[in-house]
Amino acid sequence: MPDTFNRKDLLGIEDLSVEEIVKILGSAASFREVAERDIKKVPTLRGKTIINLFYEPSTRTRTSFEIAAKRMSADAINIAVASSSIKKGETLKDTALNLEAMSPDCIVVRHGSSGTPQMLARYLKCSVINAGDGLHEHPSQALLDMLTVSNRLGGIEKLDGLRILIVGDVAHSRVARSNILGFSKMGAHVTVCGPPTMIPVGIEHLGCDVNHDMTAAVKDADVVMMLRLQLERQAAGLFPSPREYAKLYGLDSLKLKRAKKDVIILHPGPINRGLEISPEVADGPWSLILEQVANGLAVRMALFYLLLGGVKDGISNANKSLNPDGVRLLNLR
Amino acid sequence: MKRLLLKGGRVLDPSRSVDGLYDVIVFGGKVASIKASDDQASPSEAETDAGWEGIDCAGLLIVPGLIDIHTHLREPGFEYKETIKTGTEAAVAGGFTTILCMANTEPINDNGSVSRFIVRQGHDLKLANVLPIGAVTTGFKGSQLTEMAELQEAGCVALSDDGLPITDAAIMRRALEYAKGLDLTVISHAEEPALVAGGAMHEGDVSTRLGLKGIPSEAESVMVARDVLLSELTGGKLHVAHVSTKGALDIIREAKKRGVNVTAEASPHHLMLTDHAVSDYGTEFKMNPPLRAGDDRAALRAAIKDGTIDTIATDHAPHSSIEKDVEFDSAANGVVGLETSLGVVLRLVDKGELTLAEVIRAMTINPAIAMGLEKGTLQVGRDADITIIDLNKEWTVEPENFKTKGRNTPFAGWKLKGRAIRTIVGGRTVFELIA
Ligand SMILES: [Zn+2]
């Protein structure tokens, strides 16, 4: 099995095969080791240029991609575009051609409009990584969530048959979409939960069940993933008040009592403490929220490595321990 | 003036239930006679007479000139997208002899001087008949009625704020009432803006998967219900533009049964495509109303058959790359349609879903009746607007060869069968397909 992908872009979980997901997670597990060394930098992508093109403000994801690129010795350039400054009269194709002129090897793009990374990828010769597009997908987030859960449980094969509960504004969440697709591809059973106003029509076609009763749904869950509530949705009539939302769909110790003892709690961050998740839960032993951040870095390093090829020697240390399947190595913890 | 003889073609004129082999003679810009084709009088014989021009139509279909009651010609104001010249060139190339153009120009066609400008341009081009549609409210603001009589005098044949709904029900009521006094039809672009709420495509499985904001079918049907009831209240003549949903069709069907003065149109793209076409975020599949679900498409086809849909209209909406080669959310709504409409819709005849007569009726006499035009028929004495179609002509949709400036077609690369090969307006050939 070749070490790199036979694909130019990483646009969504929807396009990925199970084998590809296994390969990414396996590779990411190896990069977790790099993070635990004294010298955290590998020369793998020396001479490569990676552009972080962010049309939406994002400190976490952008920083994660930037550090990932730097740890692999690539040159990372950040371009932040305020949507207000997008020039009228310039097409997306013009933008793509302008970027291409800088001869990057990879463009990491986040955009508020769904499908924009896909459109850019059609115009660009270099690799494109989707760092979140509109309400569509956020594939690196789902990959890091899958890595976090499989690390905790001791192997990617443990995802098979696992019960995942995703709670919150699924309609407006690209994290939810990518996770539904990802976990269900790996054999997990995904349920989404939220008020009907936040569950979009036909979501079950992505591979999940729907349950509007969180108190009931939480009982069977092995993993509870809480989505961030955006308060401005109140004005659009999606929920009557933060108070009632927290009561019905916030994860507090009362609801947690009904859950399995070893339930795993995830949140893509940043957290609204006291809203979708109560402080004692966020800080409790169930929560792997900080683990998610570390795994995010590893997943993004893996994506760069797999898409950009890199110098094989540069990662030899990490590579030595990389099982061809990338599976058993996930027993890192 | 020469006599024109269309010899030996199959004449299909749904306005008079005519379908058979006839010779059509045109004189003085009018249909002079239609007689059962007589093999004895060969066209060559006619051609020898200097006063005759004979066209051998054996194997071809002769129909009343096609009428498109919903186009956007963009002039004045958006000449980079389309001009009255390029739009009418596209029209005649698609077999259309009469087109109605919407008022969303810059300035808006809400006063007689804009209407007269459009009429004059159309007239000087001597291609298709260009008939403007005037605005219902000044500046499309939805608050004050336009001087409808003045618009009518300047050449407007109907009224619409197309592109925008008239959100105020009281204004819509008064518009229907006032227009009734002038015997003008009010064309409704039916959508409830609060339910559209920034949506970019049909709300359903596909929008959920793609993460695009959806427009529920009810955004249309809610408004169609309101407008039908207001038409019933006032007796005003209502035409519903680009119906896209099963729900709206049910409302219109019931209204027609009750005798409400309502007609409706469907576009070729809604008849042929569904929301699944959007799967790769192609902005050539973005229009308003959006491509709907398979059930809606099936209901539209059935509605042509049962008469709920009167007419096929293109909603020809040319845009440039500045509006289309951008993010899906930001891309402009609309597709071009004048040059593909006939060929695309003939597919439904080929598949046996509609008869040829049903399609031609929906593109000739029905739109004429809906807009109160003395057109769409080959009745002797009427304007000789005639379209000659080769039903066996196979061709491929190549946007780069369009006459329209717009390249925004959802049908690029489609292999079609059937095409207008000659378009005659007022007895003059204005388009001939060069083989
Ligand atoms: Zn419209």
Side-chain angles (χ1 to χ4, degrees):
Chain A
M1 194 189 273
D3 282 341
T4 50
F5 264 178
N6 188 22
R7 86 172 34 247
K8 175 172 97 66
D9 310 304
L10 195 285
L11 299 172
I13 300 290
E14 191 182 5
D15 318 322
L16 295 178
S17 65
V18 171
E19 293 70 29
E20 285 175 306
I21 293 172
V22 168
K23 184 179 266 184
I24 296 166
L25 297 186
S27 181
S30 309
F31 283 111
R32 275 293 307 249
E33 291 178 351
V34 173
E36 280 150 25
R37 294 182 202 164
D38 288 344
I39 295 164
K40 296 182 170 50
K41 206 161 177 167
V42 292
T44 316
L45 297 183
R46 187 174 290 150
K48 304 267 184 190
T49 303
I50 293 168
I51 296 179
N52 286 320
L53 179 65
F54 276 59
Y55 288 85
E56 276 184 346
S58 153
T59 314
R60 285 159 180 263
T61 307
R62 194 205 23 83
T63 310
S64 181
F65 273 108
E66 187 181 351
I67 296 173
K70 285 182 172 159
R71 288 219 174 142
M72 301 189 76
S73 306
D75 297 316
I77 297 159
N78 293 321
I79 303 178
V81 194
S83 43
S84 57
S85 73
I86 296 174
K87 265 190 231 120
K88 243 201 145 151
E90 185 175 278
T91 66
L92 205 60
K93 194 173 176 181
D94 296 331
T95 308
L97 296 179
N98 275 316
L99 291 166
E100 193 99 299
M102 297 183 229
S103 45
D105 298 284
C106 180
I107 294 180
V108 177
V109 60
R110 164 166 292 193
H111 200 292
S113 287
S114 302
T116 305
Q118 288 75 358
M119 293 166 109
L120 281 171
R122 281 204 286 273
Y123 298 127
L124 287 163
K125 288 198 260 319
C126 70
S127 290
V128 174
I129 294 177
N130 180 3
D133 66 315
L135 312 176
H136 178 223
E137 280 227 45
H138 191 353
S140 62
Q141 177 72 43
L143 289 164
L144 77 87
D145 287 335
M146 287 189 272
L147 180 64
T148 304
V149 174
S150 54
N151 277 359
R152 164 57 70 97
L153 298 178
I156 193 166
E157 66 279 2
K158 297 284 170 64
L159 297 181
D160 194 4
L162 213 61
R163 301 190 82 87
I164 316 284
L165 179 66
I166 302 176
V167 184
D169 188 359
V170 175
H172 294 94
S173 176
R174 54 194 174 210
V175 173
R177 278 174 181 75
S178 287
N179 269 305
I180 293 167
L181 291 163
F183 277 103
S184 63
K185 274 187 190 194
M186 302 313 291
H189 185 106
V190 183
T191 302
V192 296
C193 182
T197 47
M198 292 181 171
I199 306 297
V201 58
I203 190 74
E204 57 278 7
H205 292 294
L206 294 191
C208 63
D209 286 339
V210 178
N211 188 341
H212 300 299
D213 181 351
M214 185 178 173
T215 310
V218 82
K219 264 189 290 188
D220 301 325
D222 299 299
V223 177
V224 178
M225 181 181 299
M226 301 303 297
L227 302 173
R228 182 179 163 78
L229 179 73
Q230 287 174 299
L231 289 169
E232 66 265 27
R233 305 289 175 207
Q234 186 181 355
L238 267 62
F239 64 100
S241 71
R243 179 168 167 266
E244 179 151 308
Y245 183 86
K247 192 173 151 199
L248 292 181
Y249 298 105
L251 186 61
D252 51 24
S253 40
L254 204 70
K255 290 198 194 73
L256 204 54
K257 255 187 226 155
R258 299 172 170 271
K260 293 184 180 173
K261 264 207 292 289
D262 53 354
V263 66
I264 294 171
I265 294 165
L266 300 175
H267 191 297
I271 297 176
N272 286 312
R273 280 169 188 263
L275 237 175
E276 72 264 3
I277 194 157
S278 70
E280 71 272 18
V281 175
D283 301 330
W286 317 271
S287 170
L288 292 178
I289 292 169
L290 293 176
E291 185 78 358
Q292 285 174 279
V293 177
N295 285 332
L297 200 55
V299 158
R300 285 153 189 145
M301 289 171 83
L303 291 179
F304 286 141
Y305 171 66
L306 292 169
L307 288 174
L308 305 186
V311 186
K312 291 291 177 288
D313 291 345
I315 195 177
S316 56
N317 282 342
N319 229 0
K320 239 182 273 168
S321 54
L322 186 63
N323 177 300
D325 295 324
V327 173
R328 232 172 315 141
L329 278 169
L330 286 162
N331 303 317
L332 284 178
R333 295 172 62 87
Chain B
M1 183 175 278
K2 272 190 183 180
R3 275 167 217 272
L4 178 67
L5 169 65
L6 308 177
K7 172 78 187 157
R10 173 184 170 192
V11 173
L12 175 59
D13 180 1
S15 77
R16 298 175 306 128
S17 304
V18 167
D19 185 358
L21 297 179
Y22 293 91
D23 292 340
V24 180
I25 295 173
V26 169
F27 184 66
K30 307 283 181 189
V31 177
S33 83
I34 297 188
K35 288 206 182 89
S37 197
D38 175 6
D39 288 338
Q40 308 304 316
S42 73
S44 54
E45 219 174 288
E47 273 165 10
T48 55
D49 187 330
W52 284 83
E53 185 192 352
I55 299 169
D56 181 6
C57 293
L60 300 175
L61 182 70
I62 299 172
V63 301
L66 305 182
I67 300 171
D68 187 353
I69 62 171
H70 194 150
T71 71
H72 298 269
L73 296 183
R74 305 300 189 203
E75 188 182 352
F78 305 102
E79 291 82 357
Y80 71 100
K81 298 188 191 203
E82 190 83 293
T83 61
I84 294 170
K85 179 168 188 287
T86 55
T88 47
E89 281 170 353
V92 295
F96 291 99
T97 55
T98 296
I99 54 176
L100 276 60
C101 55
M102 286 296 179
N104 60 343
T105 48
E106 177 57 48
I108 286 170
N109 183 15
D110 62 1
N111 62 80
S113 52
V114 177
S115 311
R116 279 188 291 273
F117 167 80
I118 295 167
V119 169
R120 189 172 350 102
Q121 297 289 308
H123 185 263
D124 290 352
L125 286 164
K126 297 189 167 47
L127 291 166
N129 304 300
V130 177
L131 307 177
I133 295 167
V136 177
T137 65
T138 53
F140 274 23
K141 291 201 179 85
S143 52
Q144 190 188 322
L145 299 188
T146 53
E147 293 175 338
M148 295 178 182
E150 151 97 1
L151 287 168
Q152 186 175 37
E153 203 180 293
C156 289
V157 295
L159 300 163
S160 182
D161 280 3
D162 183 63
L164 293 175
I166 294 164
T167 50
D168 185 324
I171 294 295
M172 187 61 174
R173 175 214 169 139
R174 295 306 179 199
L176 283 160
E177 256 171 2
Y178 191 86
K180 182 186 166 192
L182 301 165
D183 201 22
L184 283 172
T185 304
V186 175
I187 302 172
S188 163
H189 166 112
E191 67 174 72
E192 168 51 58
L195 287 175
V196 174
M201 69 173 293
H202 173 62
E203 181 177 291
D205 303 350
V206 184
S207 67
T208 292
R209 182 165 61 82
L210 295 177
L212 288 170
K213 281 191 195 149
I215 303 171
S217 295
E218 287 66 22
E220 174 174 291
S221 47
V222 159
M223 209 52 139
V224 169
R226 184 202 75 173
D227 288 349
V228 158
L229 292 172
L230 292 175
S231 165
E232 201 166 11
L233 169 70
T234 59
K237 210 167 149 196
L238 173 73
H239 175 80
V240 185
H242 43 55
V243 178
S244 69
T245 65
K246 187 174 177 302
L249 289 171
D250 290 342
I251 291 162
I252 295 165
R253 185 177 296 111
E254 284 306 308
K256 283 187 167 188
K257 270 188 209 157
R258 294 200 302 277
V260 181
N261 207 349
V262 59
T263 52
E265 77 193 29
S267 75
H269 44 276
H270 290 114
L271 284 165
M272 303 309 292
L273 302 166
T274 68
D275 56 346
H276 284 270
V278 184
S279 286
D280 287 327
Y281 300 97
T283 58
E284 68 273 32
F285 300 105
K286 186 179 179 189
M287 70 289 286
N288 189 21
L291 296 174
R292 299 288 187 183
D295 286 358
D296 296 305
R297 181 178 64 175
L300 279 176
R301 292 174 182 182
I304 290 182
K305 256 199 149 32
D306 75 13
T308 305
I309 289 290
D310 300 88
T311 169
I312 295 166
T314 61
D315 196 1
H316 176 84
H319 288 294
S320 79
S321 60
I322 295 165
E323 288 88 19
K324 282 293 193 181
D325 288 353
V326 296
E327 296 84 343
F328 196 89
D329 284 333
S330 322
N333 285 310
V335 296
V336 294
L338 282 167
E339 288 162 87
T340 50
S341 180
L342 176 65
V344 156
V345 173
L346 283 174
R347 266 205 183 181
L348 296 176
V349 177
D350 235 28
K351 289 166 78 179
E353 295 207 37
L354 294 175
T355 66
L356 188 59
E358 284 162 350
V359 164
I360 298 303
R361 176 186 298 278
M363 299 179 84
T364 55
I365 186 63
N366 279 5
I369 292 170
M371 295 297 124
L373 310 173
E374 297 207 329
K375 295 269 182 196
T377 174
L378 294 176
Q379 197 179 313
V380 170
R382 289 289 176 82
D383 292 343
D385 295 350
I386 300 169
T387 303
I388 303 178
I389 298 165
D390 182 350
L391 288 173
N392 295 312
K393 177 88 190 165
E394 291 181 7
W395 61 291
T396 303
V397 178
E398 290 162 339
E400 62 276 18
N401 295 328
F402 279 167
K403 305 273 195 257
T404 171
K405 288 188 182 181
R407 297 291 174 265
N408 49 313
T409 173
F411 301 114
W414 280 40
K415 298 205 182 325
L416 302 176
K417 201 174 141 201
R419 191 169 186 177
I421 59 161
R422 183 188 288 262
T423 308
I424 298 167
V425 174
R428 288 177 51 249
T429 294
V430 292
F431 169 77
E432 207 180 334
L433 185 70
I434 294 131

